[in-house]
Amino acid sequence: MEEEIKKPSFLVYYDNEVVVLRLPDKEAGKLFKSLFPYGREEIKPDFEKNPALTMAFDILSMAIDRDKERYVKRCEANRENGRKGGRPKKNQMDIEETEKTERLDLKPKKADKDKDMDMDKDKDSNINYQQIADMYNEICISFPRLTKLSDSRKKAIRARLNQYTIEDFKRLFELAEESSFLKGQNARNWSANFDWLIKDSNMAKVLDGNYMDRKGGGEVGADNKSRGSATDFYEQFLGAGDGN
């Protein structure tokens, strides 16, 4: 029987920061210490008397489980490749020919460079950056107003338009304006802005509905009833802790 694959580490993601920061220092310490035996041996702590601490542990441990699963699959794939003798070997002539081709490819012709630059300019000229800026200022009236379209902001907009449409931007701004959390009603009195909203990971989370306000009785928004965000899950039980 093959030896069980064990991951030598675990990760704590920035997305879970809000969960940890809402805990008192003593409980945060208990939470952090509990992650080591769980990561090594899947030993769960006894936090049943503290629902807030239990919920925080569940959120972090799910991330550990996902990372461990990916690690095991990667190790198994490497083992399988090892059994097959690794990648096929090339003879010396093949190696020399490949190296020669790669050296040539490292020096693209000037005409190719100019062509690529022209294509980038054409693509950039087709993007109406001001339309997106005006849309943000018109919809997100509770957020800091956007007054300048810097090169870095244009670059971020251009990157997002490789995946999203103008309608997606409009939906992004509407969801942000409807979110109390993003407008500053959170433990840190933090609020989002244009630059935060158009970052790749943030735009995806907002469009997924992770920051929608919950509707009566602790139910998350209609577009996200089945999941909710880590914040929603945590805050639902926050008031139930007994301080142990």
Side-chain angles (χ1 to χ4, degrees), residues 96-148:
E96 292 176 356
E97 185 64 27
T98 300
E99 291 176 347
K100 180 180 178 181
T101 302
E102 290 175 347
R103 286 196 298 271
L104 292 174
D105 289 342
L106 290 175
K107 298 181 179 180
K109 298 178 181 179
K110 185 176 185 299
D112 292 338
K113 286 185 177 181
D114 293 341
K115 183 178 179 181
D116 291 340
M117 291 176 65
D118 290 340
M119 289 178 64
D120 289 340
K121 289 180 180 178
D122 290 340
K123 182 177 180 181
D124 193 64
S125 64
N126 292 328
I127 298 176
N128 191 340
Y129 298 104
Q130 193 60 49
Q131 177 187 4
I132 293 176
D134 292 342
M135 188 186 301
Y136 166 81
N137 285 332
E138 179 182 348
I139 297 174
C140 293
I141 58 176
S142 303
F143 294 84
R145 186 173 180 81
L146 179 64
T147 58
K148 181 177 176 60

Side-chain angles (χ1 to χ4, degrees), residues 48-86:
E48 294 302 321
K49 294 182 179 180
N50 191 326
L53 196 54
T54 299
M55 180 57 64
F57 172 80
D58 288 344
I59 293 172
L60 270 66
S61 64
M62 283 190 290
I64 293 176
D65 291 340
R66 286 194 299 269
D67 287 344
K68 185 182 297 184
E69 183 178 353
R70 286 194 292 265
Y71 177 79
V72 170
K73 288 182 179 179
R74 188 164 64 248
C75 290
E76 290 175 344
N78 290 339
R79 284 182 176 180
E80 185 63 24
N81 288 334
R83 294 190 190 100
K84 295 179 180 179

Side-chain angles (χ1 to χ4, degrees), residues 117 119-129 132 149-166 169 194 198 203:
M117 291 176 65
M119 289 178 64
D120 289 340
K121 289 180 180 178
D122 290 340
K123 182 177 180 181
D124 193 64
S125 64
N126 292 328
I127 298 176
N128 191 340
Y129 298 104
I132 293 176
L149 276 170
S150 62
D151 290 340
S152 61
R153 285 170 175 167
K154 288 182 179 180
K155 181 179 179 181
I157 292 173
R158 186 165 62 246
R160 299 295 82 75
L161 285 173
N162 288 329
Q163 182 178 0
Y164 299 103
T165 66
I166 296 296
F169 273 89
F194 179 81
I198 65 172
M203 185 168 180

Side-chain angles (χ1 to χ4, degrees), residues 163-173 203 207:
Q163 182 178 0
Y164 299 103
T165 66
I166 296 296
E167 285 301 314
D168 290 328
F169 273 89
K170 183 173 183 289
R171 180 62 176 159
L172 167 72
F173 299 146
M203 185 168 180
L207 289 174

Side-chain angles (χ1 to χ4, degrees), residues 184-231:
Q185 295 182 28
N186 53 71
R188 294 176 291 167
N189 292 322
W190 167 89
S191 62
N193 55 25
F194 179 81
D195 297 316
W196 188 91
L197 289 172
I198 65 172
K199 285 185 179 179
D200 188 17
S201 59
N202 297 339
M203 185 168 180
K205 288 187 288 187
V206 174
L207 289 174
D208 283 346
N210 288 357
Y211 295 96
M212 294 175 66
D213 287 359
R214 289 172 294 172
K215 297 181 180 180
E219 181 183 8
V220 296
D223 291 337
N224 202 22
K225 289 182 180 178
S226 61
R227 292 186 295 115
S229 65
T231 305

